[in-house]
Amino acid sequence: MGYGRRRYSSKSHSSSTFGLNITSMTDMFTILLVFLLQSYSTSQVEINPVTGVSLPKSSTESNPVEGVRVSLSANELKIGERTIASLKEAQFNGADVDPNDSNFILPLFNELDKMSKENAAKDIAKGDKKKPEIEEGRILLQADQNLNYAVIRKVMYTASMAGFPKLKLATVVGD
Amino acid sequence: MSRRLRKPRQIMSHEFELDLAPLLAVMVKLVPVLLVSSAFMQVMIVETDLPQAVKEAIAQNNDKPKTTVQLEINKKSGIKVIVAKDGSQKVDQIAMKSESEYDLSGLHKFLQHVKAENPEVFRIEFAPDANVPYKDIVKIMDEVRRSRDKDVRFPMRNQNAGQSADQKDRAPASTDYMFPDVIFANMMDG
């Protein structure tokens, strides 16, 4: 049965080769290629979007640099993938804030302080590599665009207290 | 029969077949590679170096800039521009455009004037109120950082005192950056 059908279809072609019209495909590929090349970012550092954080749009043209990745959404504060503190209605919990200084977030300070101490303790002679971003105190802050300045300021304040004064605000390309 | 014979000859004389196969082969390979590696959300950064409490104190003692530009951002009343020059202060208020919209173009125009008067100042201090949304701060930073009009440029003073004679004859270098050095002034306040 199958054999018969194949014989029939091969008979319908006038020759053994047939011309496939690839013009439209080439067309599509060209457009796709141009689009992809144009949006191709040349930066060395890859930043993955964090869930729950919608970054603000900005017209800045500076490429991201390596830094300690701190992300702040309406629900939690993270360093990298680790959750450091949780927020309720875009406010820090009372337990996480220093009772004497309302801008001081204790868990964030402890974590950053630990990182910089660990980095400083690394011995270059033993072949350990010191991380330049921690040494220079660079923070890459990915904060949700709808948060208020008050809560972001607390993070900036704590970070600079912990010896991370160079703050980079992550933004997305837009108008 | 005669028609069938004529047709191929016409094609041979007027058209030629471009061999698209290698081009296609390249594209078929390039497109998946780029698709996989491309980031559809391009993340960029805004640099705001926080002044460390101590560092700032030292810097203020050593070389206190003569002119400072400060923006006070309030959700209700708008943006207040404070230009402090040689002890005297000039305060200007940029009112809100509407209930929730800052007059960004007005601010931009005003800061162009400020920059034209003080071309040596690159630092601007932000003092937003606690309830100002982050996205508005970033928007205002965008306005402040560089001039959007292509024809508005600002002269750059040469930092080196001992410059050669032919450098002096040249037209002064100019820049479209207004205040790229944004710092948050009220961060350290309690």
Side-chain angles (χ1 to χ4, degrees):
Chain A
M1 180 69 185
Y3 180 68
R5 203 194 287 163
R6 208 179 61 180
R7 260 182 72 135
Y8 174 70
S9 70
S10 70
K11 230 187 213 174
S12 71
H13 287 287
S14 51
S15 66
S16 59
T17 58
F18 63 97
L20 178 67
N21 190 6
I22 49 168
T23 319
S24 44
M25 190 166 88
T26 319
D27 228 31
M28 187 196 77
F29 269 132
T30 314
I31 292 166
L32 209 65
L33 194 70
V34 168
F35 164 74
L36 285 173
L37 277 175
Q38 183 240 324
S39 69
Y40 192 75
S41 74
T42 46
S43 80
Q44 304 286 315
V45 185
E46 207 176 297
I47 297 172
N48 296 320
V50 184
T51 39
V53 176
S54 75
L55 296 172
K57 290 191 178 87
S58 164
S59 64
T60 177
E61 282 156 7
S62 40
N63 278 322
V65 290
E66 199 53 71
V68 178
R69 283 153 198 218
V70 178
S71 70
L72 181 66
S73 71
N75 300 316
E76 53 192 0
L77 172 72
K78 285 188 192 172
I79 295 181
E81 295 291 307
R82 270 175 307 141
T83 306
I84 303 298
S86 57
L87 283 84
K88 218 174 231 174
E89 288 164 6
Q91 291 297 325
F92 282 101
N93 288 330
D96 292 337
V97 179
D98 188 41
N100 301 318
D101 189 348
S102 63
N103 286 325
F104 199 81
I105 307 155
L106 286 167
L108 176 65
F109 179 85
N110 294 339
E111 199 64 35
L112 289 175
D113 200 39
K114 205 174 86 190
M115 282 170 89
S116 68
K117 274 186 186 140
E118 274 174 11
N119 195 56
K122 277 181 185 168
D123 200 349
I124 301 171
K126 280 182 187 162
D128 293 340
K129 267 191 190 156
K130 288 196 180 193
K131 286 185 177 168
E133 69 262 25
I134 298 179
E135 202 145 301
E136 289 169 26
R138 279 198 298 261
I139 287 246
L140 195 73
L141 179 65
Q142 291 170 273
D144 193 276
Q145 57 174 345
N146 294 316
L147 290 169
N148 281 345
Y149 176 63
V151 69
I152 288 165
R153 182 179 135 188
K154 285 179 188 172
V155 174
M156 300 196 296
Y157 176 83
T158 313
S160 90
M161 284 295 194
F164 289 81
K166 290 185 180 164
L167 179 77
K168 321 282 176 197
L169 304 174
T171 58
V172 286
V173 175
D175 31 82
Chain B
M1 186 65 192
S2 65
R3 241 180 106 202
R4 262 176 117 192
L5 270 173
R6 211 166 55 226
K7 216 177 175 187
R9 207 182 285 161
Q10 252 184 349
I11 291 170
M12 289 283 276
S13 58
H14 292 293
E15 298 174 23
F16 65 97
E17 280 281 321
L18 183 65
D19 189 12
L20 287 173
L23 181 74
L24 253 178
V26 169
M27 281 192 182
V28 168
K29 278 159 202 157
L30 256 180
V31 165
V33 166
L34 287 173
L35 262 178
V36 165
S37 68
S38 83
F40 286 97
M41 212 175 67
Q42 249 179 309
V43 177
M44 294 283 165
I45 53 160
V46 182
E47 307 210 6
T48 62
D49 287 357
L50 305 183
Q52 237 173 334
V54 184
K55 216 161 85 183
E56 193 183 30
I58 295 167
Q60 271 182 352
N61 280 339
N62 280 353
D63 54 322
K64 196 167 180 169
K66 285 192 180 106
T67 316
T68 58
V69 184
Q70 189 170 26
L71 296 187
E72 281 185 18
I73 306 160
N74 187 287
K75 221 177 167 184
K76 286 215 170 66
S77 60
I79 303 159
K80 199 191 265 179
V81 187
I82 304 167
V83 183
K85 199 174 187 179
D86 302 324
S88 66
Q89 259 194 359
K90 211 171 120 227
V91 182
D92 287 272
Q93 183 84 31
I94 315 270
M96 301 288 282
K97 211 179 204 174
S98 66
E99 188 92 339
S100 59
E101 211 182 328
Y102 295 96
D103 185 8
L104 293 176
S105 54
L107 174 74
H108 194 83
K109 282 261 144 48
F110 184 79
L111 284 176
Q112 281 180 349
H113 283 296
V114 173
K115 179 69 184 177
E117 280 168 23
N118 311 291
E120 77 282 1
V121 181
F122 285 93
R123 168 167 292 191
I124 193 160
E125 292 171 10
F126 270 47
D129 277 358
N131 59 357
V132 177
Y134 177 46
K135 62 177 169 194
D136 290 349
I137 297 172
V138 174
K139 250 188 235 165
I140 293 167
M141 276 181 170
D142 269 1
E143 294 298 318
V144 161
R145 211 171 315 111
R146 65 197 296 178
S147 165
R148 259 189 279 107
D149 303 329
K150 285 275 182 290
D151 51 332
V152 179
R153 294 181 74 82
F154 312 100
M156 256 190 323
R157 195 174 288 170
N158 202 327
Q159 300 286 321
N160 305 329
Q163 50 183 300
S164 63
D166 68 68
Q167 262 183 325
K168 270 180 189 165
D169 294 338
R170 271 189 225 150
S174 63
T175 174
D176 58 347
Y177 278 101
M178 295 206 295
F179 303 100
D181 191 7
V182 176
I183 59 165
F184 287 96
N186 63 349
M187 202 195 51
M188 288 297 166
D189 306 345

